[in-house]
Amino acid sequence: MRKIFISIAAVLIAGTAVSTAQQKPAVDRAKADAAVKSAFPSAPADWQPRLVQDETMKQCSAHDNLPPKAVGEAIQKRERATIEYPADGQFMGDWKRGERIAQSGYGLRFTDYPPRNPNGGNCYACHQLTKAELSFGTVGPSLLNYGGIRKFGAAETKAVYEKIYNAHASYPCSLMPRLGSNKVLTIEQIKDVVALVMSPDSPVNK
Ligand code: HEC
């Protein structure tokens, strides 16, 4: 009996040693929150809520963006519930306006306060979209020919609308901002960007 107990203990200790070696140093969340808050002392009052994590951001931070299944499902459910759909049932607007929105990083910066122009979606900061634009980020996948690959399908078009409105609804702890739910883009602007991604005439699919 004692022998069995000792060998179980040895396995447990060995297991702990392995997992400890693989873990990153723990971050003191309270210190991190305080650092974020103190970094924006002159943020206007209506910006203060942006310095406080909502439930989803808290859960993503707690799990280093890799939530366990149940937490991930709870995030998806909560975020999906925030998606508002176009009143006319149309998911595609004007791709030319969409390209300007995708190019624009205007909005929500100190220099944009008070706002003088509509916000942009800053899509190129993370995605390749067209062949013509050579400057793009790679945090997100390339969207070149995205609509063509998906045969310009209706369900796929709706999915792009939902992705832009709230990326966490399909991918909990996505690195893509919740552009609709966080009121960065309007429903009309999102439709224009959907057209850029999904329209057969758009330079994304040419
Ligand atoms: C800060 C970076 C970032 C920005 C800005 C961003 N995205 Fe994303 N996007 C991502 C990441 C990361 C993914 C992959 C994870 C996911 O699917 O949520 C993604 C996924 C997507 C997908 C799904 C790709 C697939 O594999 O099916 C689409 C479509 C998309 N983004 C479109 C856009 C559009 C359009 C904009 C601008 C309105 C935009 N994104 C802005 C980071 C970003």
Side-chain angles (χ1 to χ4, degrees):
M1 183 63 195
R2 167 169 281 217
K3 217 175 188 176
I4 293 171
F5 176 77
I6 289 170
S7 55
I8 289 173
V11 168
L12 284 177
I13 291 165
T16 312
V18 168
S19 64
T20 309
Q22 286 170 345
Q23 267 163 17
K24 285 182 272 170
V27 175
D28 183 333
R29 303 283 175 200
K31 266 192 195 157
D33 286 348
V36 169
K37 206 158 173 56
S38 69
F40 300 96
S42 59
D46 56 336
W47 276 32
Q48 294 300 329
R50 292 175 63 196
L51 303 180
V52 182
Q53 289 192 309
D54 66 12
E55 193 55 26
T56 292
M57 291 292 100
K58 270 188 204 144
Q59 288 175 323
C60 292
S61 290
H63 299 288
D64 289 326
N65 289 337
L66 292 171
K69 196 161 175 283
V71 177
E73 283 168 2
I75 290 172
Q76 279 182 272
K77 192 171 168 220
R78 179 189 314 122
E79 298 299 328
R80 181 158 289 281
T82 69
I83 299 180
E84 285 173 44
Y85 291 89
D88 62 4
Q90 298 297 316
F91 292 109
M92 290 220 271
D94 175 342
W95 71 256
K96 293 196 178 108
R97 284 198 306 251
E99 169 67 4
R100 286 196 291 276
I101 294 165
Q103 290 276 353
S104 167
Y106 187 89
L108 300 164
R109 303 168 298 191
F110 280 105
T111 46
D112 304 332
Y113 192 86
R116 293 170 302 281
N117 293 299
N119 290 339
N122 215 11
C123 314
Y124 282 98
C126 297
H127 295 283
Q128 178 181 31
L129 283 120
T130 58
K131 286 211 181 87
E133 178 53 72
L134 300 177
S135 165
F136 54 83
T138 54
V139 171
S142 170
L143 302 178
L144 215 52
N145 200 22
Y146 194 89
I149 292 165
R150 285 158 186 79
K151 310 268 183 265
F152 307 109
E156 289 79 359
T157 305
K158 184 179 176 211
V160 171
Y161 177 90
E162 291 169 335
K163 170 58 63 181
I164 300 170
Y165 204 101
N166 192 322
H168 296 253
S170 50
Y171 191 123
C173 301
S174 172
L175 296 181
M176 177 161 160
R178 294 165 288 178
L179 295 158
S181 302
N182 283 346
K183 308 276 177 234
V184 178
L185 298 179
T186 64
I187 287 178
E188 288 308 313
Q189 285 181 305
I190 294 175
K191 285 168 65 168
D192 291 340
V193 185
V194 173
L196 176 68
V197 176
M198 291 304 287
S199 160
D201 326 320
S202 122
V204 167
N205 297 309
K206 285 279 180 200

